[in-house]
Amino acid sequence: MSSRDRILGRVRRALADVPRDDTPYEQAVPRTYLRRHGDTDAGRTVALLAARLADYRADVHRTDPAGLPELVARLLAARGADSVVVPAGLDPGWLAAAAATAVPDRPESTPRELDRIDSVVTGCAVAVAETGTLVLDGGPGQGRRRITLVPDHHVCVVRVPAQVVSSVPEALERLDPARPLTWISGPSATSDIELDRVEGVHGPRALDVVLLADGDGPPPEPAA
Amino acid sequence: MSETFLGMPSFPAFPVAARAAVQDGTLRGNLRHATHTIRAKRAKAVAELPDWAELREAGRRIKDHTLRHLDRYLVQVEEAVTAAGGTVHWAADATEANRIVAGLVRATGESEVVKVKSMATQEIGLNEALEAEGIRAYETDLAELIVQLGRDRPSHILVPAIHRNRGEIRDVFRSEMGRWGRAAPDGLTDEPADLAEAARLHLREKFLRARVGVSGANFVVAETGTLVVVESEGNGRMCLTLPETLISVVGIEKIVPTWRDLEVFLQTLPRSSTAERMNPYTSMWTGTTDAETADGPREFHLVLLDNGRTDTLADEVGRQALRCIRCSACLNVCPVYERAGGHAYGSVYPGPIGAILSPQLRGTASAVDASLPYASSLCGACYEVCPVAIDIPEVLVHLRERVAEGGRATREGSTVVLRPARGHAVERAAMRAARWALTRPAALRTGQRIAGRARRLQPRSLPGPGRAWSASRDLPAVPAEPFRDWWRRIYGAGGTAAARPGPGGDTGKDTR
């Protein structure tokens, strides 16, 4: 007997008490919890995202399309970045003013090569206000998962309010599970020493989040 | 067949190990500091969600439903993972799981792997099994690294090195890092940020050259074949995305039916474990990506692990332990864990959840497993904080009955009849005597009167076989007068309490 058959046989014997007409999945789980915890106002949702990102030590910046190249250039320069990984599909205008050498995200580049690059600039798939989370799905302007992992500095541009949702349930609705997904909430951290949070372990130690007013929403507030 | 192995050799019974642990002032200080820090933070993170109770209930129901139809969902996982380019393996026990993983690593031609912190691989003793095959496994989670470098044992589900304070960690890094790779920087301080930096430098080298990664998973989504790993440091992302081959060893209870179900656990797990609104990194992947996308490992293996889980599933009361999402909130609130520490539980699963999980996964044959259901005061704090509402006290009492009385249980898929455990003969005799006396009012009355009159002769501890019981407990004081005699004296036979003095007003009575 294969182990597959052995395990499935054990499971079926273990569940002899479960009736054949047991409550189906759709009725077995009450979904009485909230879809979101705040209101639906776009401006307040974006403000909450900014606050929650800052809470976990991400640096939050606000700008509009005209100000973006200048801001990205400034953020890269502030970290002394000489090189920056650029994912396929990133709007070339975003890096128009940057002095750092652009290195494309290629399948054949090795982790060691990536380790020599200072920064990475990406967009995202969705951002979750309540938890201060950015989700990347490898789509245009986001790149392979490793490019936002190995370089020590990540600049992530979020189009607001279009890419912002309030809650985790709303975020999952927008995502495609077939794509490789990375949820990022602040720079890397650990609670392993005395259960106290310390920022900065293996992932990028610096996370700059740019909230880019995309014209559909309210005018941008002054930079945070 | 082999005994189900939870990663450790035989251990002394809980009271023996705990007695040594509570004498260790440093250990108690470390544990008290850490558990109290996280307790307050967790309460705050949970209080932020007004629908916590509803999320908890939904989580309980999702897990219960999945367990009740686990055969169907296991097959669905297999189909979905295979369709997405992964390979599924089935392991009935630890030995088989270790053999599968070692074989997969050998097939790559590599002799080292990087590991994401995983309870399942600790449970099966994977590192030791790989070592025996000439394969070196590097733990990359900071706390696991501390444990591995210190040749120590994990003592907490979330923070395996919780028993170490920052000074002890610095000493381990200074003396041991050089043997495993890049040595600790000169002048390393005990600042947590400096210690984290030392770990970053030490492990960077290993991540960048790794060709094989080994992980567990927090969740497996049946409808999509998606695996989810929740972490903080980025070591998980390193192991899950940089190597060419990824092997994930996952207990069969980690399945959730749908993608949507993650909306519950991604809210409850981070808040309940590290007290964060969201943990820094969560990775989700479905099989492998195509050559054009080329994101992450080209080869993915999922090893579905039983190792005592189906035996646990067969117990209608005990199966709720399989709902556990390994948040460790129950450890952090437990008065017994706080004082005894994790090592006393003799398992990779310490604390309240370990006290119900280990004796079910391994059976109650060993001294430590037979003692674990008693490693609790039944205060219920663990149940209160559990994000999937596991009634740990209920299962503890159920397992105590199994240990003391014996009876039917399932071991390795077969029904066995357990004999009552030795050492509980006095308890059983006492219970039999109590049953006899409590069903015979006249005998009870006579016995209570005799005990009351002889109460000045009452010893401080019980003699003979009762000594074990009274070694850690005060004997209850025997009153001078049995309650029923007092009632009869004050109210008369068939009397009521109306307009009569209560016991407090009955002065001059020695209630000792």
Side-chain angles (χ1 to χ4, degrees):
Chain A
M1 194 195 287
S2 72
S3 286
R4 178 184 190 276
D5 294 343
R6 180 174 295 128
I7 293 170
L8 287 174
R10 286 178 181 177
V11 170
R12 286 174 188 137
R13 282 198 300 282
L15 295 173
D17 63 298
V18 177
R20 293 186 131 235
D21 60 345
D22 197 42
T23 316
Y25 169 78
E26 291 72 24
Q27 288 146 43
V29 183
R31 307 277 179 183
T32 51
Y33 51 85
L34 303 171
R35 296 307 294 165
R36 72 176 71 82
H37 295 92
D39 56 38
T40 52
D41 178 83
R44 279 198 291 272
T45 305
V46 172
L48 180 65
L49 173 68
R52 294 284 155 93
L53 282 163
D55 237 16
Y56 282 161
R57 310 280 169 83
D59 291 318
V60 183
H61 317 269
R62 287 173 179 262
T63 189
D64 57 16
L68 183 63
E70 208 51 51
L71 175 60
V72 170
R74 189 158 54 77
L75 295 175
L76 292 174
R79 299 277 166 192
D82 292 326
S83 53
V84 56
V85 195
V86 182
L90 192 83
D91 184 337
W94 291 6
L95 285 163
T101 308
V103 181
D105 168 30
R106 295 173 307 141
E108 60 272 18
S109 54
T110 65
R112 271 181 214 289
E113 286 163 8
L114 273 178
D115 194 36
R116 288 193 284 269
I117 302 174
D118 301 308
S119 298
V120 60
V121 177
T122 71
C124 72
V126 64
V128 190
E130 287 178 12
T131 57
T133 303
L134 313 167
V135 188
L136 276 65
D137 72 356
Q142 297 170 62
R144 294 177 178 81
R145 286 173 286 173
R146 60 189 190 171
I147 67 165
T148 54
L149 173 63
V150 180
D152 205 15
H153 174 216
H154 181 191
V155 179
C156 186
V157 179
V158 184
R159 294 179 186 277
V160 300
Q163 292 187 311
V164 184
V165 297
S166 288
S167 66
V168 171
E170 290 175 345
L172 283 161
E173 272 172 13
R174 286 206 190 183
L175 293 165
D176 175 3
R179 309 185 72 97
L181 301 173
T182 304
W183 296 52
I184 299 170
S185 307
S188 80
T190 183
S191 303
D192 279 355
I193 301 164
E194 301 176 4
L195 267 170
D196 224 353
R197 188 177 153 110
V198 179
E199 276 86 11
V201 201
H202 305 297
R205 286 178 289 190
L207 175 63
D208 281 309
V209 182
V210 177
L211 304 181
L212 175 67
D214 59 6
D216 300 338
E221 293 168 25
Chain B
M1 271 196 262
S2 62
E3 288 270 305
T4 297
F5 179 61
L6 288 200
M8 292 183 196
S10 64
F11 283 97
F14 181 85
V16 178
R19 184 167 297 126
V22 295
Q23 307 293 333
D24 184 339
T26 307
L27 175 68
R28 288 192 59 171
N30 295 351
L31 284 171
R32 188 182 153 77
H33 171 69
T35 55
H36 284 247
T37 302
I38 195 72
R39 247 179 242 183
K41 286 190 198 164
R42 180 196 173 277
K44 202 172 148 214
V46 166
E48 239 180 49
L49 297 186
D51 57 341
W52 181 261
E54 287 80 9
L55 286 164
R56 181 178 189 243
E57 178 62 11
R60 178 178 83 84
R61 299 278 199 101
I62 290 168
K63 284 285 190 174
D64 268 356
H65 168 82
T66 316
L67 291 169
R68 289 168 73 83
H69 302 275
L70 191 57
D71 51 339
R72 182 152 60 81
Y73 287 119
L74 279 165
V75 172
Q76 201 184 357
V77 164
E78 182 183 46
E79 287 168 1
V81 170
T82 308
T87 308
V88 177
H89 310 260
W90 300 71
D93 56 24
T95 310
E96 186 174 17
N98 289 332
R99 196 170 57 229
I100 291 168
V101 177
L104 291 170
V105 177
R106 259 200 317 268
T108 66
E110 294 295 312
S111 60
E112 60 177 46
V113 302
V114 285
K115 278 189 70 199
V116 191
K117 177 178 169 348
S118 135
M119 295 308 298
T121 59
Q122 269 186 26
E123 173 190 321
I124 61 176
L126 178 66
N127 292 5
E128 295 77 8
L130 290 178
E131 194 76 53
E133 300 276 332
I135 299 162
R136 174 66 72 91
Y138 293 113
E139 293 292 351
T140 64
D141 169 75
L142 177 51
E144 293 286 7
L145 176 71
I146 296 163
V147 168
Q148 188 174 45
L149 292 177
R151 288 182 287 269
D152 202 349
R153 290 197 284 126
S155 71
H156 190 276
I157 288 173
L158 177 73
V159 193
I162 196 171
H163 56 289
R164 297 283 187 207
N165 61 37
R166 57 187 73 190
E168 295 172 288
I169 294 166
R170 179 202 53 205
D171 294 345
V172 168
F173 279 10
R174 273 185 182 164
S175 64
E176 301 300 324
M177 267 186 172
R179 293 174 208 243
W180 289 76
R182 181 169 176 162
D186 289 335
L188 179 65
T189 73
D190 64 1
E191 276 304 308
D194 283 354
L195 296 170
E197 170 70 8
R200 177 186 171 95
L201 294 170
H202 177 78
L203 288 171
R204 198 79 176 174
E205 186 59 29
K206 295 175 172 42
F207 290 134
L208 296 180
R209 71 166 186 245
R211 308 285 290 269
V212 183
V214 174
S215 82
N218 295 92
F219 307 99
V220 180
V221 180
E223 67 173 352
T224 60
T226 307
L227 273 79
V228 182
V229 164
V230 170
E231 54 135 350
S232 295
E233 295 166 15
N235 65 306
R237 292 181 66 194
M238 292 275 182
C239 297
L240 299 170
T241 54
L242 297 185
E244 289 163 12
T245 302
L246 172 61
I247 304 163
S248 300
V249 181
V250 182
I252 55 175
E253 82 284 19
K254 293 288 166 205
I255 299 175
V256 296
T258 69
W259 175 248
R260 186 185 177 185
D261 292 329
L262 295 175
E263 72 188 21
V264 174
F265 302 109
L266 289 181
Q267 294 191 75
T268 52
L269 176 56
R271 289 178 194 263
S272 208
S273 65
T274 50
E276 292 163 309
R277 296 188 187 104
M278 188 62 86
N279 50 289
Y281 297 128
T282 297
S283 295
M284 302 178 177
W285 73 97
T286 306
T288 54
T289 59
D290 56 36
E292 195 196 337
T293 312
D295 186 349
R298 287 180 309 199
E299 228 184 285
F300 169 57
H301 297 273
L302 171 62
V303 182
L304 292 169
L305 177 72
D306 179 349
N307 205 39
R309 284 161 178 75
T310 51
D311 294 343
T312 309
L313 189 66
D315 186 317
E316 290 177 37
V317 177
R319 70 166 60 129
Q320 59 184 304
L322 298 175
R323 293 204 292 257
C324 177
I325 55 173
R326 311 282 190 262
C327 75
S328 73
C330 63
L331 280 65
N332 298 334
V333 297
C334 178
V336 177
Y337 176 85
E338 182 190 331
R339 286 159 183 85
H343 290 158
Y345 293 80
S347 159
V348 299
Y349 301 111
I353 186 64
I356 62 169
L357 208 47
S358 307
Q360 296 201 86
L361 294 176
R362 303 192 290 206
T364 49
S366 73
V368 67
D369 289 317
S371 70
L372 284 176
Y374 297 86
S376 168
S377 64
L378 301 180
C379 78
C382 47
Y383 174 49
E384 290 292 317
V385 297
C386 178
V388 286
I390 301 170
D391 192 341
I392 294 177
E394 181 192 21
V395 183
L396 285 167
V397 171
H398 172 70
L399 293 174
R400 287 181 186 188
E401 185 183 339
R402 178 185 295 174
V403 169
E405 301 281 338
R408 287 158 66 89
T410 306
R411 295 307 309 151
E412 292 172 354
S414 305
T415 302
V416 295
V417 178
L418 301 174
R419 282 195 308 228
R422 291 171 54 193
H424 291 272
V426 178
E427 183 185 336
R428 281 193 298 278
M431 288 301 162
R432 272 198 302 275
R435 187 159 54 227
W436 184 87
L438 290 172
T439 51
R440 288 167 181 77
L444 180 65
R445 190 160 54 239
T446 309
Q448 284 175 336
R449 283 177 185 157
I450 292 169
R453 285 183 197 126
R455 70 199 173 96
R456 298 203 192 285
L457 305 176
Q458 184 189 337
R460 294 180 68 92
S461 63
L462 291 174
R467 186 171 303 164
W469 191 87
S470 59
S472 54
R473 296 172 180 87
D474 291 329
L475 287 181
V478 178
E481 181 181 31
F483 172 78
R484 291 192 302 174
D485 285 3
W486 171 85
W487 184 274
R488 191 182 293 268
R489 179 164 60 76
I490 299 296
Y491 301 112
T496 67
R500 298 279 186 164
D506 187 29
T507 55
K509 224 162 74 77
D510 178 10
T511 53
R512 275 282 303 170

